[in-house]
Amino acid sequence: MLPPRRFLPSFSLLAAFEAAARTGSVTAAANELGLTQSAVSRQISSLEQQLGVTLFLRERQTIRLTIAGDTYAREIREALRRISNASLNLRANPAGGTLNLAILPFFGSRWLTPRLPRFLARHPGVMVNLITRLEPFDFRFDTLDAAIHFGEPRWPGANLSVLTDEDVIPVCAPAYLSRRDLRASDDLLGASLLHLNSRPDAWENWFTSRGIEFEALHGMLFDQFSTMLEAAVAGMGLALMPRFLINRELDERLLVPAIEASPHHSGRYFLAYPPERGSYPPLAAFRNWIVEEAARMEDRVAPEGSIGQ
């Protein structure tokens, strides 16, 4: 339910205020909006009267946001951005729905994006927008309909649909392996270990699962799987990588397993979405498809026991 009309300023007043706040100039705002300076000044004054709050301090020929005006400008700018995006999405896909999906970059580029044409062929009226997000967020304050989540089945205020398990294996470049005598799990303690900052305890968990004692585990730190993958291919050390997302590198022998060891289960992937959006047709169609697609992958790899990220 919308608030009373008196609390909803017109779009023209908000556009004039936002432009002046962003440019710091009534003249610049007027040029941007195709209005006169006096028209922009009147619109800002009308907005201040409607709100009962001073938004700008006038100093000779300049303007400066008040503290209240600065806070209001940030919120109005975000609201106008969301309105603009919604309008663009509608123009781009007037006959169908739009699904705004947050993805994890490596999973998105290696697993999801190559499969998306199959979903779009089945649902040609749906427009899918992919936005990279590395951490969970609050669906109540975001424009996203759903997100790919990795880890434990916890996301406050969201429903979760299981996609697939992730198993990781230690890999390195063949040239790196040829220079070292790596035969057992504890041999890896003396190697150069590559770490992902979103999973700082990945190597610790791997060694612990094998009953290996260790002190501090040092090594290069990366903020994304893709960068760490390239470092491993370049011979900079050992990386714990999801097996099913690096099949290309393994097939082309850009990477090889550092030792013969069973994969280590590191977590699960889920599709997370707010409960009230569960029946939204584009989301419902995508949820059914991606769960089916993940099950198809598991059926293919199950005999080999190599399900990964």
Side-chain angles (χ1 to χ4, degrees):
M1 179 178 177
L2 291 175
R5 179 65 182 83
R6 66 181 182 276
F7 296 122
L8 292 175
S10 68
F11 187 88
S12 60
L13 299 188
L14 296 175
F17 164 69
E18 190 281 328
R22 176 167 36 81
T23 62
S25 167
V26 172
T27 301
N31 291 336
E32 181 178 305
L33 299 172
L35 300 172
T36 64
Q37 290 178 262
S38 59
V40 172
S41 294
R42 286 196 301 271
Q43 288 175 326
I44 293 173
S45 296
S46 296
L47 180 60
E48 290 177 321
Q49 291 173 11
Q50 184 173 351
L51 296 174
V53 175
T54 299
L55 301 172
F56 287 104
L57 296 175
R58 280 78 171 175
E59 300 172 343
R60 297 178 183 175
Q61 300 301 314
T62 64
I63 58 173
R64 180 164 52 89
L65 284 166
T66 62
I67 294 176
D70 182 64
T71 301
Y72 190 57
R74 295 173 188 272
E75 296 187 10
I76 292 303
R77 187 170 299 121
E78 175 62 19
L80 293 178
R81 185 190 66 79
R82 293 176 68 170
I83 292 171
S84 176
N85 287 344
S87 301
L88 288 173
N89 287 337
L90 183 61
R91 289 187 62 183
N93 192 27
T98 297
L99 178 69
N100 295 315
L101 178 68
I103 61 169
L104 300 170
F106 199 57
F107 181 89
S109 63
R110 285 299 181 101
W111 190 89
L112 179 59
T113 303
R115 290 169 169 78
L116 266 183
R118 291 202 283 267
F119 171 77
L120 298 176
R122 186 184 300 182
H123 303 280
V126 177
M127 174 73 70
V128 180
N129 297 322
L130 303 179
I131 300 94
T132 297
R133 291 289 178 85
L134 293 173
E135 300 293 339
F137 53 89
D138 195 328
F139 281 108
R140 295 175 301 170
F141 306 111
D142 213 304
T143 58
L144 295 169
D145 300 301
I148 302 298
H149 170 58
F150 172 78
E152 298 297 323
R154 291 193 298 268
W155 190 310
N159 288 345
L160 296 172
S161 295
V162 177
L163 298 180
T164 186
D165 290 326
E166 174 185 278
D167 291 347
V168 294
I169 59 172
V171 294
C172 60
Y176 183 91
L177 185 63
S178 68
R179 298 193 300 267
R180 287 159 179 81
D181 184 21
L182 303 179
R183 304 183 182 216
S185 297
D186 56 356
D187 293 333
L188 273 57
L189 288 172
S192 300
L193 304 180
L194 308 181
H195 301 265
L196 194 66
N197 62 9
S198 61
R199 304 187 187 184
D201 56 354
W203 276 111
E204 294 180 3
N205 293 337
W206 189 86
F207 284 113
T208 299
S209 70
R210 283 157 174 73
I212 299 172
E213 296 183 358
F214 54 88
E215 296 181 356
L217 299 175
H218 300 293
M220 294 184 64
L221 188 64
F222 300 85
D223 67 347
Q224 292 197 24
F225 263 126
S226 58
T227 314
M228 187 169 70
L229 172 69
E230 293 302 322
V233 170
M236 298 171 66
L238 274 60
L240 277 177
M241 299 296 297
R243 173 65 183 266
F244 80 97
L245 293 181
I246 58 169
N247 285 330
R248 181 195 315 162
E249 286 76 13
L250 292 173
D251 290 344
E252 297 175 3
R253 287 193 60 78
L254 296 174
L255 291 174
V256 294
I259 58 172
E260 292 296 327
S262 60
H264 171 67
H265 181 263
S266 54
R268 261 182 178 172
Y269 284 88
F270 303 86
L271 179 69
Y273 56 91
E276 64 273 13
R277 297 293 281 170
S279 59
Y280 176 53
L283 174 56
F286 182 80
R287 180 180 64 239
N288 294 337
W289 171 82
I290 194 171
V291 169
E292 175 186 309
E293 197 72 25
R296 181 181 297 120
M297 179 190 69
E298 291 203 5
D299 289 342
R300 278 202 305 271
V301 301
E304 302 174 8
S306 59
I307 297 173
Q309 176 172 294

